[in-house]
Amino acid sequence: MSAARRLAAAVASAVVLAGCGTSVTGSPLPEGAAASEEGGSPQFDKLLRECDAVPNDKIAETLHGAGIDQYFFGAVCMWTVSSAAGSIDVTFGWFENNSLQRERSVADQLGYQVETTSVAGTSAFSARRPGDSATCGITAAYSGVITWWVQQRSGTGDPCDGARTLAELTLQRNQ
C-alpha cells in the first residue's frame, strides 16, 4: 500500500471515528411520551390538532351533510361532506405566523372577489374565485389567520354561509 493510500485511509478513518464520538445532551423519553409531559418544551404539543378546531360531526351538521370523510391532515385540513344535494369539499387552514392583510393581498392578486366583513366580532374577509359561485372562503384574524373554504359541487346554496359558520365555530371554541 502506498504512503498516499495509507494517509487517505487514516484521514477517512479519523473522520468516521470523529463522527461516531458525538454526544447528545438531554434526557431520553419513553417511546410515545410527549416532551411536555416530561417537563420539556410544549412548543409542538398541539401539532396537527388544528384539524380538530371544529369536530367532524359539527362540520357535517353545519353543511347539512349526512356523512363526512377527512382525507388530509397537516398544515391544511380537508374533508368531503356527503349531502342529499351532492358532495361538498371543505378545507381549513390555520396559519399562526400570517396576517389578514397578507392573505387579502394574495386573494386580490389572484383576482378573487373580496369583501371585507367580520366574523364573531373579528376582522375578516370573504373571497370567491371569479366565475365560481359554488366556492367561497372566509379568512379571519385569530392568532395569525384561519381560513375555511367550502365548495358545493352541486352548485346549490351559498357556500359563504357554511364557511362563515365554520369560522364562527372555530373562533368560539378557541377563545
Side-chain angles (χ1 to χ4, degrees), residues 18-151:
C20 292
T22 304
S23 64
V24 177
T25 60
S27 301
L29 296 176
E31 186 175 332
S36 59
E37 292 172 4
E38 300 295 324
S41 170
Q43 180 179 5
F44 298 110
D45 66 336
K46 293 184 175 115
L47 191 62
L48 299 181
R49 288 186 54 205
E50 288 89 351
C51 295
D52 297 333
V54 176
N56 288 356
D57 60 338
K58 196 67 173 171
I59 295 170
E61 177 187 322
T62 298
L63 300 174
H64 310 289
I68 187 167
D69 177 40
Q70 184 170 7
Y71 62 91
F72 191 82
F73 298 81
V76 175
C77 313
M78 298 176 167
W79 300 263
T80 298
V81 175
S82 55
S83 73
S87 23
I88 303 166
D89 290 326
V90 181
T91 305
F92 172 67
W94 187 343
F95 301 102
E96 295 171 359
N97 295 320
N98 205 348
S99 71
L100 193 63
Q101 183 178 17
R102 183 183 181 295
E103 285 299 305
R104 172 126 190 189
S105 174
V106 169
D108 287 335
Q109 289 174 3
L110 291 171
Y112 288 11
Q113 300 163 345
V114 179
E115 291 183 29
T116 301
T117 187
S118 68
V119 175
T122 301
S123 297
F125 68 88
S126 66
R128 291 181 180 262
R129 290 184 272 217
D132 184 1
S133 62
T135 304
C136 178
I138 299 286
T139 301
Y142 176 75
S143 294
V145 294
I146 61 165
T147 300
W148 282 95
W149 279 95
V150 173
Q151 179 182 16

